Amino acid sequence: MTERGIARDGYAVLSPDGKKIGTVASGSPAPFLKKNIALTHLPIEFTAPGTEIGVEIRNQPVKAVVVSTPFYKRQKK
């Protein structure tokens, strides 16, 4: 999420023009990243890292961006 808001499971995922393109499968705050993250299934044309999308939270679109997984890699000692 690039704006304030937590994407929860079942929330609609929106294209940049506001059309529903998917549903959030899982979402929560990630304390180790100090950000809110979510997993969703998207049409292939929206899966490139850096693609801006939105999540509908309380009937308002909130900006998010597609990133590659894993979200976090532990540093080796």
Side-chain angles (χ1 to χ4, degrees):
M1 303 296 298
T2 56
E3 291 184 332
R4 187 177 175 143
I6 300 173
R8 300 289 188 185
D9 62 318
Y11 284 11
V13 179
L14 309 171
S15 66
D17 62 354
K19 292 182 183 177
K20 183 177 177 182
I21 56 171
T23 304
V24 174
S26 174
S28 67
F32 53 91
L33 292 175
K34 297 180 181 166
K35 296 183 181 204
N36 297 319
I37 60 173
L39 293 173
T40 185
H41 296 284
L42 295 173
I44 195 76
E45 59 268 20
F46 295 100
T47 59
T51 303
E52 291 190 10
I53 57 172
V55 177
E56 189 174 51
I57 301 175
R58 296 186 191 115
N59 296 319
Q60 296 291 323
V62 178
K63 291 182 183 179
V65 67
V66 175
V67 297
S68 58
T69 55
F71 299 123
Y72 173 77
K73 286 187 180 181
R74 184 183 304 178
Q75 294 181 355
K76 295 184 180 185
K77 293 182 180 183

